[in-house]
Amino acid sequence: MTSLEKNRTLRILNTAASGKYGVLAAIAYNVEQLEALVGAAEAKRSPLIIQLFPSTLTQLPLLAHAAAHAVKTAKVPLSLHIDHAQNEGQIREIIATLPVDSVMVDMSHYEEAENLEKTERLTKECHAKGIAVEAESGRINGGEDGIADTGDLEALFTSPEDVDKFIAAGIDILAPSVGNVHGDYGPSGPAEGQIHFDRLEAINKQINKRVLVALHGTNDFPAAVMERCIRAGAIKLNVNKLLLEVGNEVLRKNAASTPLVKLIDQQMDAIQAETERWMDICGSSGKA
């Protein structure tokens, strides 16, 4: 079996866990967003995990290779992660053909026993190629651009039994369900009491450094909520709209009146500035 000792994603996250800060795991849908994210990491001397959805691999297959090139040539530690891979055949294709560092094997749309069985089997296949694995325990409700919507399935909080079962399946990164949702919370972020920080803290204590904790569902998070999640043990911080919406706003406001090349620059500048701001909030700035 190939060793995970040099796995980029795990090295980034283990260093962050030791330093008690969070690392952004940022979705990119196109090369402009990718460039802005990498630019922020280099400007802030921050580690960064670049995330692509499986749907993006199908829509823009060259983007994975551009991201892999960025990982290899950046002046700071980066890694390439495939988020919410929900199809077994595609997961096998990804790990056989793409230079990825980690994959989220997301079988959370199955019942628990089948979820665990598929997760364990696919984890072994990923590990054989030196690829780290993330999995979702319980079920995080909702959907967002690029992943299947689980809105017709019941959200399931992560239990202590879930934690032990998923660790026994051999995964490296656990994404717990603690009241977080995929998609939007609203302009004020999660409602008071919606995110169960005590549950996240208990999960982190139970894990006891056996795996790392990923936090999904950060759209609309205020800085204070993100900081509290980091203190409760979240290390890998999945972000999408939280960083990208400022770029979308630039397009909505200026597309009709701005030349294309200038518009692209404006969008990239806005995303890079917002990413730098969140790197400061999460404590990863200056850690590379």
Side-chain angles (χ1 to χ4, degrees):
M1 179 177 288
T2 304
S3 172
L4 293 175
E5 184 179 347
K6 295 183 179 180
N7 182 274
R8 293 186 184 95
T9 297
L10 296 183
R11 292 180 73 174
I12 287 171
L13 294 178
N14 281 321
T15 301
S18 297
K20 300 186 184 304
Y21 58 88
V23 175
L24 298 177
I27 287 288
Y29 293 98
N30 58 40
V31 72
E32 293 94 335
Q33 293 168 353
L34 172 65
E35 182 68 23
L37 296 171
V38 174
E42 293 193 329
K44 280 294 180 178
R45 304 301 303 169
S46 170
L48 172 72
I49 298 171
I50 299 166
Q51 297 201 143
L52 305 179
F53 283 134
S55 58
T56 304
L57 300 179
T58 301
Q59 184 182 43
L60 298 173
L62 291 178
L63 189 60
H65 297 281
H69 177 74
V71 167
K72 292 179 181 178
T73 59
K75 300 172 184 176
V76 294
L78 306 181
S79 72
L80 177 56
H81 177 87
I82 307 303
D83 196 26
H84 287 286
Q86 298 172 313
N87 179 282
E88 292 181 73
Q90 188 180 27
I91 290 171
R92 292 191 174 98
E93 181 180 1
I94 287 168
I95 67 175
T97 62
L98 293 179
V100 301
D101 300 294
S102 48
V103 174
M104 183 187 183
V105 173
D106 181 6
M107 300 290 120
S108 63
H109 45 293
Y110 292 101
E111 293 303 320
E112 182 186 61
E114 190 170 3
N115 180 350
L116 285 163
E117 186 276 326
K118 292 178 182 293
T119 298
E120 183 172 5
R121 176 158 33 88
L122 289 163
T123 295
K124 289 177 181 176
E125 295 179 34
C126 289
H127 283 178
K129 296 181 177 296
I131 296 169
V133 173
E134 176 180 336
E136 182 176 309
S137 60
R139 183 182 294 127
I140 301 170
N141 211 344
E144 56 188 306
D145 235 4
I147 63 172
D149 192 331
T150 59
D152 58 340
L153 299 174
E154 181 186 3
L156 301 172
F157 286 123
T158 297
S159 69
E161 293 76 18
D162 291 331
V163 172
D164 286 335
K165 288 175 181 177
F166 275 88
I167 292 176
I171 67 166
D172 308 288
I173 305 163
L174 184 73
S177 174
V178 292
N180 44 330
V181 299
H182 292 123
D184 297 340
Y185 297 91
S188 299
E192 183 68 29
Q194 181 172 355
I195 305 299
H196 294 203
F197 300 107
D198 55 344
R199 186 183 295 267
L200 183 56
E201 290 170 355
I203 289 168
N204 188 49
K205 184 176 181 180
Q206 181 183 354
I207 283 171
N208 193 26
K209 302 181 180 179
R210 291 179 290 169
V211 296
L212 297 142
V213 175
L215 178 68
H216 288 233
T218 63
N219 283 1
D220 310 309
F221 264 29
V225 171
M226 186 73 86
E227 290 167 340
R228 189 168 176 186
C229 288
I230 294 169
R231 291 196 300 270
I235 302 298
K236 178 178 178 283
L237 309 171
N238 282 29
V239 288
N240 187 340
K241 176 185 173 183
L242 196 71
L243 305 184
L244 300 182
E245 184 61 17
V246 291
N248 295 335
E249 185 60 31
V250 165
L251 296 181
R252 284 191 290 266
K253 182 178 178 181
N254 300 325
S257 59
T258 307
L260 179 60
V261 172
K262 184 176 181 180
L263 186 67
I264 290 172
D265 280 341
Q266 289 176 350
Q267 181 193 30
M268 290 169 57
D269 288 347
I271 294 171
Q272 178 169 336
E274 187 67 359
T275 303
E276 290 182 21
R277 185 174 79 87
W278 277 100
M279 286 172 169
D280 288 345
I281 291 167
C282 297
S284 65
S285 296
K287 298 298 195 298

